[in-house]
């Protein structure tokens, strides 16, 4: 079945460092891909999304490009801040059949130190 | 604020008991989803409703049930609770399945 694999954390970076969180997926169709973020004590927030191959999603300095050839959707940010400390989830949404639900990776915890 | 409202925010109950979690979707959204987040299983899709009808089922136990009412709010009923049911339960909503899904802040359930 469809699945999402993302790099295990925790990831600890210094402020202004470059961030990459790897995400790969397995799907039989052409899913939409998402990154969600969960700040401490809060719910999930949509960070960015891409709906087709080669699309780039971006928000708050974060970017991810939908790579069909490598089935990947890696999250990047050029300069992280302490306020970016959170858990990041990669997810896919497949519209085949009657499903429209999200399949999540296990999450990657990011800690940014001043 | 996503616009999805969940109550209660925290709930502590004993094994064997039954609880109901409530969700009000964003204004205008017809689809409601329930997810469970636990330490061992991660984030798992439980069930989806669209305009009152069940649309998709994920890893939902038979002890759990849900429904969506005519005013589009939804309830997740958990019965014969076990320690392993302790988790954060999220509700999410979208206009329809082609639109972005927005999550509520979750209901923390602790079974003791």
């Amino acid at each position: 079945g469809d699945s999402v694999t993302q790099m295990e954390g925790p990831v600890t970076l210094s402020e202004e460092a470059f961030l990459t969180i790897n995400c790969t997926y397995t799907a039989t169709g052409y899913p939409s891909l998402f990154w969600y973020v969960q700040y401490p004590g809060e719910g999930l927030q949509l960070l960015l999304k891409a709906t087709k191959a080669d699309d780039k999603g971006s928000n708050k300095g974060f970017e991810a490009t939908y790579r069909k050839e490598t089935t990947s959707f890696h999250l990047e940010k050029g300069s992280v801040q302490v306020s970016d400390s959170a858990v990041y989830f990669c997810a896919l949404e497949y519209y085949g059949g009657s499903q429209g639900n999200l399949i999540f990776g296990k999450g990657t915890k990011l800690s940014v130190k001043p | 604020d996503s616009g999805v409202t969940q109550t209660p925010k925290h709930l502590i109950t004993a094994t064997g008991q039954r609880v109901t979690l409530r969700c009000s979707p964003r204004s205008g959204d017809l689809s409601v989803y329930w997810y469970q987040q636990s330490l061992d299983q991660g984030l798992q899709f439980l069930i989806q409703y669209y305009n009152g009808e069940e649309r998709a089922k994920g890893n939902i136990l038979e002890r759990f049930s849900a429904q969506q009412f005519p005013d589009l709010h939804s309830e997740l009923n958990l019965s014969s609770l076990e320690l392993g049911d302790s988790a954060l339960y999220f509700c999410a909503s979208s206009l329809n399945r082609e639109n972005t899904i927005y999550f509520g802040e979750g209901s923390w359930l602790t079974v003791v």
Side-chain angles (χ1 to χ4, degrees):
Chain A
D2 295 359
S3 65
V4 174
T5 302
Q6 62 182 106
M7 63 187 284
E8 292 191 18
V11 174
T12 303
L13 295 174
S14 297
E15 209 165 20
E16 299 184 3
F18 184 85
L19 168 71
T20 300
I21 301 178
N22 290 336
C23 171
T24 57
Y25 68 90
T26 302
T28 53
Y30 300 98
S32 293
L33 300 174
F34 302 80
W35 278 100
Y36 278 82
V37 58
Q38 186 176 28
Y39 296 103
E42 297 185 15
L44 290 164
Q45 298 177 26
L46 176 64
L47 183 58
L48 53 84
K49 70 176 184 179
T51 57
K52 60 183 187 297
D54 299 325
D55 267 4
K56 178 186 280 188
S58 60
N59 186 26
K60 299 181 182 179
F62 291 89
E63 293 184 340
T65 301
Y66 190 143
R67 301 284 187 202
K68 188 175 144 205
E69 62 278 7
T70 55
T71 61
S72 65
F73 193 55
H74 304 322
L75 182 68
E76 296 181 337
K77 186 174 185 182
S79 176
V80 294
Q81 306 300 312
V82 173
S83 57
D84 294 327
S85 297
V87 181
Y88 292 81
F89 292 91
C90 185
L92 67 82
E93 188 172 27
Y94 179 59
Y95 295 114
S98 62
Q99 290 190 7
N101 65 80
L102 292 169
I103 297 171
F104 286 91
K106 291 194 179 299
T108 302
K109 184 175 182 179
L110 170 67
S111 295
V112 181
K113 306 298 184 189
Chain B
D1 182 2
S2 67
V4 179
T5 304
Q6 291 187 245
T7 58
K9 291 196 185 312
H10 300 274
L11 188 57
I12 301 174
T13 190
T15 54
Q17 294 298 305
R18 172 191 170 94
V19 299
T20 297
L21 308 180
R22 294 175 177 81
C23 171
S24 293
R26 293 189 326 149
S27 178
D29 282 358
L30 300 176
S31 267
V32 169
Y33 310 78
W34 286 97
Y35 287 81
Q36 180 195 58
Q37 185 179 31
S38 61
L39 281 174
D40 53 345
Q41 299 290 330
L43 257 168
Q44 288 199 96
F45 166 71
L46 295 179
I47 197 163
Q48 177 202 357
Y49 279 82
Y50 179 80
N51 204 20
E53 294 190 4
E54 183 183 304
R55 274 297 171 92
K57 237 176 186 178
N59 299 318
I60 188 167
L61 300 171
E62 286 193 10
R63 299 183 286 108
F64 296 178
S65 65
Q67 58 184 127
Q68 186 179 26
F69 295 87
D71 66 353
L72 301 177
H73 91 273
S74 178
E75 293 181 355
L76 178 67
N77 299 296
L78 315 174
S79 61
S80 303
L81 285 167
E82 301 174 0
L83 296 178
D85 297 327
S86 297
L88 180 57
Y89 291 85
F90 284 112
C91 173
S93 74
S94 66
L95 175 59
N96 52 45
R97 68 185 198 190
E98 281 77 35
N99 291 84
T100 299
I101 296 175
Y102 292 90
F103 284 77
E105 294 189 356
S107 291
W108 276 104
L109 173 66
T110 302
V111 182
V112 297

